[in-house]
Amino acid sequence: CNSLHIASFFGNTKAIDLILKNSKMNINCLTNHNCNVLTLAATQCRINTVKYLLKNGVNVFQKTNRYDLLSILDTKMESVRLNQGDYNPRVNIDNLKKVKKMIQDRGVLHALTKIQGRIRKWWFKQKTRIDKKNNERKEKIKEKQKKRKKRKKEIRKEKKENKIKSS
């Protein structure tokens, strides 16, 4: 556990900002119990902190304790619904649902961005391949045109020589 995790648990977004700007700490680092900063903020319904972390590139898909974050939030919602655990008025089902939706939306955007990147790479490879083929075709056409010109010159030369011989 480090200062980034503590600030995340208590929802101190300013402290998280200072820590990330003034140190080389990784936003996706884990505690000794394999919890990342997003898990700590989300399970405590620190909505502003979750927004900040998502905006600053925290890994939404990082598995902690063999579970993904959405499963952890589902479990937390169930325990709140059954009134189990410590009572905290901020940690209620509505807030947990808000946090879960934000994380799901960010996950979808992240996945779409990755897919878009893959499509761009694929398209660039295809475009490069097509451009290469087009350039090869153009070169072949130029070579054929050169050969035709050369052949025409040879034919003219032969005709001239034949005229000279026949005269």
Side-chain angles (χ1 to χ4, degrees), residues 6-159:
I6 293 167
S8 178
F9 181 84
F10 289 106
N12 193 338
T13 307
K14 288 180 184 178
I16 294 170
D17 189 46
L18 285 171
I19 292 166
L20 291 174
K21 285 182 181 176
N22 297 321
S23 71
K24 295 180 181 180
M25 202 172 292
N26 183 352
I27 197 168
N28 292 309
C29 63
L30 299 173
T31 65
N32 296 337
H33 301 290
N34 286 329
C35 288
N36 65 5
V37 289
L38 183 59
T39 304
L40 293 170
T43 55
Q44 293 301 308
C45 293
R46 307 292 184 177
I47 293 173
N48 291 331
T49 305
V50 170
K51 284 180 187 176
Y52 176 84
L53 293 170
L54 292 173
K55 183 177 158 189
N56 285 285
V58 72
N59 185 355
V60 176
F61 299 110
Q62 187 173 19
K63 289 198 174 189
T64 57
N65 291 330
R66 299 182 316 268
Y67 301 105
D68 64 298
L69 181 54
L70 297 176
S71 300
I72 293 169
L73 287 173
D74 287 337
T75 304
K76 182 81 173 187
M77 277 192 268
E78 186 63 21
S79 67
V80 168
R81 190 178 69 73
L82 297 173
N83 292 323
Q84 295 173 343
D86 297 331
Y87 175 74
N88 184 338
R90 184 186 57 259
V91 180
N92 60 49
I93 291 185
D94 292 335
N95 285 344
L96 285 167
K97 284 180 181 178
K98 283 181 193 174
V99 168
K100 184 177 177 182
K101 177 146 179 41
M102 285 190 308
I103 292 167
Q104 285 173 325
D105 291 347
R106 176 64 180 153
V108 168
L109 284 174
H110 180 75
L112 287 174
T113 304
K114 276 191 166 188
I115 291 169
Q116 247 180 347
R118 288 180 186 156
I119 290 171
R120 272 193 217 110
K121 285 179 185 177
W122 174 85
W123 176 245
F124 183 73
K125 284 180 184 177
Q126 296 301 317
K127 188 177 181 321
T128 304
R129 186 179 59 79
I130 290 168
D131 289 346
K132 186 178 176 182
K133 280 187 177 182
N134 286 339
N135 288 338
E136 288 172 359
R137 285 183 191 141
K138 286 177 184 177
E139 289 297 319
K140 284 181 182 179
I141 290 171
K142 284 181 183 178
E143 286 178 27
K144 284 182 181 180
Q145 288 173 344
K146 284 181 183 178
K147 285 181 182 179
R148 283 184 194 147
K149 284 183 181 179
K150 189 177 179 181
R151 182 67 186 144
K152 282 182 180 180
K153 281 184 182 180
E154 288 173 358
I155 291 172
R156 280 188 216 135
K157 192 175 182 182
E158 285 176 9
K159 283 183 180 179

